[in-house]
Amino acid sequence: MDTTALANLLFPEVTETPADLEQRYPPRNLPEGARVCRMAPSPTGFMHLGNLYGAIADERLAHQSGGVFYLRIEDTDQKREVAGGVETILDTFSQYKLPFDEGATLTGDSGAYGPYRQRQRASLYHVCARWLVLQGKAYPCFLTEEELTAMRETQAAEKLNFGCYGDFARYRDTPIDLIKSLIDSGKPYVVRYRSEGDLSKRIAVDDLIRGRLDMPENDQDVVLLKADGIPTYHFAHVVDDHLMRTTVVVRGEEWLATLPIHIQLFGAMGWKPPKYLHTASLMKMDGGSKRKLSKRKDPELALSFYSEKGYTVAAVKEYLMSLLNSNFEDWRAMNPEKPLEDFPFSPKKMGTSGALFSIEKLDDVSKGVVSRMSADEVYGELTAWADRYDPDFAALLRRDEAKTKRMLAIGRGGKKPRKDITAWSDAKTYLSFFFDETFTPDYTLPETVPAGAAKEMLAAYADLYNPADDSGEWFAKVKQLACNFGYCDDMKAYKQTPENWPGSVADVSNVVRLAIAGRPQSPDLCEVMQIMGPEMVRQRLDRMMGAL
């Protein structure tokens, strides 16, 4: 076979060589040990938890080492692409504060190693494919869809591996005259790699999580370029990762089976492959057993789920980091105030089996994150969320900014801050008693307090109430109220001999709490009333007395 003639026939417009591309995209000038990592999603319009899970690992590996984190858009499959898909990707990573040093942007590209959209890099793939043809390592294949279907049916019937290899690779040694006549006749074709692999032979590959992997060679003649000249993922990512000088590829374990193909293609081009890091799949418990998170079954797989619920970005990232590195929770317990970026992320602390995702555990993490935020920070994030998802609630929050911040400040700070809010969608219920528009009281009394007695207690408390009281003065009056109605004002004494009293000071204070907050639990009631002001407090007392 005259491979030069074949290369010229298949790629008449290509004049560059891989050596020219090496000059155009030289090795990066980075410190020793610096890692170059990429996030390379497809613009399908669906950003999922796995995207973020891998991106956090990419960003930490790159920036922790003084390297580069870049965004590449893998848009070779136009059937899956949706309008606005790139914007969704960029918005998501901006929201989750994962800063790209270079890559695709809304207005084009930023960086010296572009284009950063694969469909704009077609000429680069053609240069490399032409070179493989020149080396006798690639060829045109004219198998039709019908022929491929028949091939798979034969392989299934004979219990053979699926794919184009050996005798099934019918166009491997087609004479150039026949190739030319087929092309001249308009017959579509793909360009396949000519594999010399043997399944009986093994290759050894080092994975940064899994260590040394022993895998069979690839014997498949995989497609490099599709009939429209656009590359497959297999070929595109090999070319791109080399020319963009990627040093570590983070991807899901579902790609492990294709690793021999990719290592083979790097070798065929004469390039050193990057290090690979195959992350464990995100799993969940379902009926007593673990399974992978599913787009069809699990709404929590979509990143939009967390935006709509109002989980803080910090909480989602912290929880995913706890799944990525087994020592993160201990580090966070020792360093509650440090930023996530201070954590020494390491592939050595990543697991190889499925990472178990739990909404309940995320909720625990989220409560902790929100509790450590200042009232100003909570106000800013909560109102931004409400503006988008609950405008009526946003209007209430913004009606008196200073007052709302006082509400949000209750119980913040100190060694044991309150953990009332899990996500911003919880805040409306938590704060509902502060606003007449959302106040829906439940006046279910303690069993120890009859309705008539409760009404009398509230009337007596209205006479005792002084908006200038501090918490000590306030509670002293509640104790006085308890004594006036024959209830025990000492909880220790009450617990020892409860039969001596109809109830305790806790029951009396709960009657007041029901009137003010409409619920048996609330933040510090004295502070709540100070924020409400005397007019609202008296209205609330009157409202419950009227309802009894």
Side-chain angles (χ1 to χ4, degrees):
M1 169 69 74
D2 183 346
T3 56
T4 300
L6 180 58
N8 291 336
L9 175 64
L10 298 179
F11 302 98
E13 77 291 349
V14 175
T15 57
E16 287 187 297
T17 67
D20 296 321
L21 302 184
E22 295 287 336
Q23 291 186 349
R24 196 192 310 176
Y25 302 104
R28 294 173 181 269
N29 184 20
L30 294 171
E32 185 175 352
R35 288 162 161 156
V36 179
C37 303
R38 45 77 164 174
M39 188 63 200
S42 299
T44 62
F46 180 72
M47 293 298 291
H48 57 79
L49 205 61
N51 295 133
L52 183 59
Y53 183 67
I56 292 172
D58 277 313
E59 188 273 334
R60 288 290 77 214
L61 287 170
H63 289 157
Q64 203 168 254
S65 65
V68 175
F69 177 46
Y70 72 90
L71 174 65
R72 185 172 75 222
I73 304 297
E74 299 199 339
D75 55 358
T76 58
D77 189 349
Q78 285 191 303
K79 292 179 181 177
R80 298 177 62 229
E81 186 172 348
V82 300
V86 174
E87 288 79 359
T88 298
I89 291 167
L90 292 167
D91 287 347
T92 298
F93 288 114
S94 174
Q95 176 188 352
Y96 281 93
K97 299 178 175 63
L98 290 168
F100 293 108
D101 301 299
E102 62 187 52
T105 71
L106 286 177
T107 56
D109 287 335
S110 174
Y113 288 81
Y116 294 91
R117 292 168 171 80
Q118 286 185 328
R119 291 193 72 84
Q120 296 177 13
R121 298 172 63 84
S123 62
L124 306 180
Y125 309 128
H126 289 192
V127 169
C128 297
R130 182 182 188 279
W131 188 82
L132 288 174
V133 172
L134 275 172
Q135 309 308 308
K137 297 178 180 179
Y139 66 93
C141 174
F142 299 87
L143 286 170
T144 65
E145 283 300 320
E146 293 75 18
E147 289 171 323
L148 290 169
T149 299
M151 180 179 75
R152 286 189 287 269
E153 289 173 351
T154 298
Q155 290 167 341
E158 298 181 12
K159 297 183 179 180
L160 300 172
N161 289 332
F162 290 109
C164 189
Y165 59 91
D167 293 338
F168 294 106
R170 287 172 38 200
Y171 288 93
R172 262 190 170 204
D173 300 309
T174 305
I176 192 167
D177 290 343
L178 178 54
I179 291 173
K180 186 176 186 307
S181 67
L182 290 169
I183 292 175
D184 289 344
S185 70
K187 191 172 179 65
Y189 64 92
V190 299
V191 176
R192 289 186 183 272
Y193 176 67
R194 185 187 185 103
S195 177
E196 301 297 333
D198 184 340
L199 288 179
S200 66
K201 298 179 180 179
R202 315 287 290 183
I203 61 169
V205 186
D206 288 323
D207 182 278
L208 291 180
I209 301 177
R210 300 160 194 276
R212 180 59 60 95
L213 300 175
D214 182 62
M215 309 182 79
E217 288 185 346
N218 169 61
D219 70 338
Q220 299 279 331
D221 286 7
V222 295
V223 175
L224 303 179
L225 299 178
K226 294 175 279 190
D228 60 0
I230 296 299
T232 58
Y233 167 78
H234 297 308
F235 191 47
H237 104 272
V238 166
V239 173
D240 292 342
D241 282 337
H242 175 72
L243 295 179
M244 293 179 172
R245 306 299 173 174
T246 309
T247 63
V248 178
V249 172
V250 178
R251 61 186 188 181
E253 64 182 351
E254 65 270 16
W255 291 103
L256 269 171
T258 62
L259 187 55
I261 296 173
H262 304 148
I263 296 299
Q264 189 181 58
L265 291 177
F266 274 106
M269 290 300 303
W271 297 333
K272 180 183 177 181
K275 296 291 185 183
Y276 282 89
L277 186 159
H278 291 87
T279 59
S281 297
L282 289 171
M283 314 286 283
K284 71 176 293 185
M285 295 302 297
D286 187 359
S289 60
K290 289 201 301 185
R291 65 166 174 79
K292 287 179 65 173
L293 283 174
S294 160
K295 179 178 178 180
R296 182 173 58 86
K297 295 180 180 179
D298 305 310
E300 65 267 34
L301 183 61
L303 288 179
S304 57
F305 171 86
Y306 303 95
S307 298
E308 292 165 8
K309 292 289 185 182
Y311 284 97
T312 65
V313 164
V316 177
K317 289 173 70 175
E318 291 238 340
Y319 179 53
L320 289 180
M321 184 61 82
S322 74
L323 297 180
L324 283 163
N325 262 197
S326 58
N327 59 329
F328 176 74
E329 289 184 77
D330 290 340
W331 179 87
R332 173 51 78 205
M334 296 288 290
N335 303 277
E337 302 301 326
K338 286 189 175 182
L340 182 70
E341 290 73 22
D342 283 4
F343 172 67
F345 177 78
S346 172
K348 294 179 181 179
K349 295 295 184 179
M350 297 178 73
T352 57
S353 59
L356 188 60
F357 180 84
S358 163
I359 284 289
E360 291 75 19
K361 187 63 183 293
L362 170 62
D363 286 348
D364 288 341
V365 171
S366 188
K367 286 177 182 178
V369 168
V370 174
S371 74
R372 294 193 296 269
M373 296 170 67
S374 69
D376 284 346
E377 290 171 328
V378 173
Y379 180 81
E381 290 203 21
L382 173 58
T383 52
W385 175 85
D387 283 339
R388 181 174 181 182
Y389 294 103
D390 193 342
D392 291 340
F393 182 43
L396 294 177
L397 295 170
R398 294 185 183 281
R399 187 162 62 193
D400 186 335
E401 179 177 334
K403 186 175 181 180
T404 301
K405 286 182 178 179
R406 288 181 67 195
M407 300 173 197
L408 296 170
I410 299 176
R412 294 200 170 273
K415 293 183 178 179
K416 292 186 177 181
R418 292 184 63 90
K419 296 183 177 181
D420 298 288
I421 299 175
T422 301
W424 303 135
S425 55
D426 297 336
K428 188 172 186 176
T429 299
Y430 168 62
L431 297 173
S432 62
F433 57 82
F434 278 111
F435 305 103
D436 288 333
E437 294 88 340
T438 56
F439 183 55
T440 53
D442 177 359
Y443 293 142
T444 302
L445 293 166
E447 293 181 358
T448 60
V449 185
K455 191 170 184 177
E456 292 179 15
M457 287 177 185
L458 293 175
Y461 178 74
D463 293 334
L464 295 171
Y465 167 65
N466 183 343
D469 286 345
D470 61 22
S471 58
E473 293 166 328
W474 174 82
F475 191 59
K477 289 181 177 179
V478 173
K479 292 178 73 173
Q480 177 188 338
L481 188 66
C483 289
N484 292 346
F485 282 85
Y487 285 69
C488 182
D489 66 350
D490 183 336
M491 288 303 299
K492 185 177 180 180
Y494 180 73
K495 288 179 180 178
Q496 290 176 343
T497 55
E499 65 277 5
N500 291 345
W501 294 275
S504 72
V505 64
D507 299 315
V508 176
S509 66
N510 270 342
V511 171
V512 179
R513 191 180 307 276
L514 288 174
I516 304 301
R519 63 183 72 165
Q521 287 89 31
S522 75
D524 183 270
L525 193 57
C526 179
E527 197 168 353
V528 167
M529 289 192 295
Q530 288 173 345
I531 294 170
M532 284 182 170
E535 183 179 350
M536 179 177 280
V537 168
R538 294 192 181 282
Q539 286 175 350
R540 293 287 173 86
L541 293 172
D542 290 342
R543 178 170 175 170
M544 184 168 172
M545 284 189 283
L548 293 176

